[in-house]
Amino acid sequence: MALPNLLYWEDPVQTGAVFGTVLVTLVSLCYYSLITVASYTCLTLLMLVLAVKLYSYVMVMLKKAEPGSNPLAKVAAMPITVPADTISNMSPCVAKTLNNFTTELRRLFLVENMVDTIKFGLSLWLLTYLGSWFNFLTLIILAWLTLFTAPKLYINNQAQVDEVVGKVMAQVEEVKAKVVALIPNKGAVKEE
């Protein structure tokens, strides 16, 4: 199933399964270590598989099912390997992104452009406040909740949301115009 179909809740059962599983895992990570959550998740999965195998064996023994019937055949037939072509096609993109990221960080930290470095410094300073209010896992949980609720809420209330966003954008443009009017024009200074 494609990501937009999941986010728009077109199949509520499948979307709920994905949303709920990840949300429970994230909340579990808030209270337990990653090793504990991974161990309990794997143990639960193992117990479910053993229960299905035992159920299948009992049904065969009671002659309620045919010998050789395997309820987990679909899962066993699923491919779990990553093709080498996929990895070789993705590696240039990953390398390019990583190189761009490190080059940009070097540019910002070495103050090659003062305005960009000041913006970067202010962003880091604001992140310190955000970090004091929330831990990273809480922000991931809030982002996950927003990812699955905002698209559906927008579809259901599109007219009202567009109206409010239009008003906010008009106010932002008004404030932006006032701020730009207060900043002296570099071109006018050079002409003098």
Side-chain angles (χ1 to χ4, degrees), residues 111-175:
V111 194
E112 291 179 11
N113 183 336
M114 183 61 79
V115 175
D116 287 346
T117 300
I118 290 172
K119 289 179 190 177
F120 179 63
L122 288 174
S123 299
L124 291 175
W125 180 66
L126 290 174
L127 282 175
T128 62
Y129 283 103
L130 188 66
S132 68
W133 295 332
F134 304 103
N135 68 25
F136 190 61
L137 202 51
T138 303
L139 292 176
I140 290 175
I141 291 171
L142 290 174
W144 186 254
L145 290 171
T146 303
L147 183 69
F148 275 85
T149 55
K152 190 65 173 177
L153 287 174
Y154 178 73
I155 287 175
N156 291 343
N157 304 302
Q158 190 169 1
Q160 296 93 338
V161 171
D162 287 345
E163 181 182 335
V164 171
V165 168
K167 289 178 183 177
V168 168
M169 290 307 293
Q171 289 178 349
V172 166
E173 290 299 323
E174 183 180 319
V175 170

Side-chain angles (χ1 to χ4, degrees), residues 25 28-40:
T25 303
S28 298
L29 287 172
C30 282
Y31 296 104
Y32 302 106
S33 70
L34 177 63
I35 294 171
T36 303
V37 172
S39 298
Y40 277 121

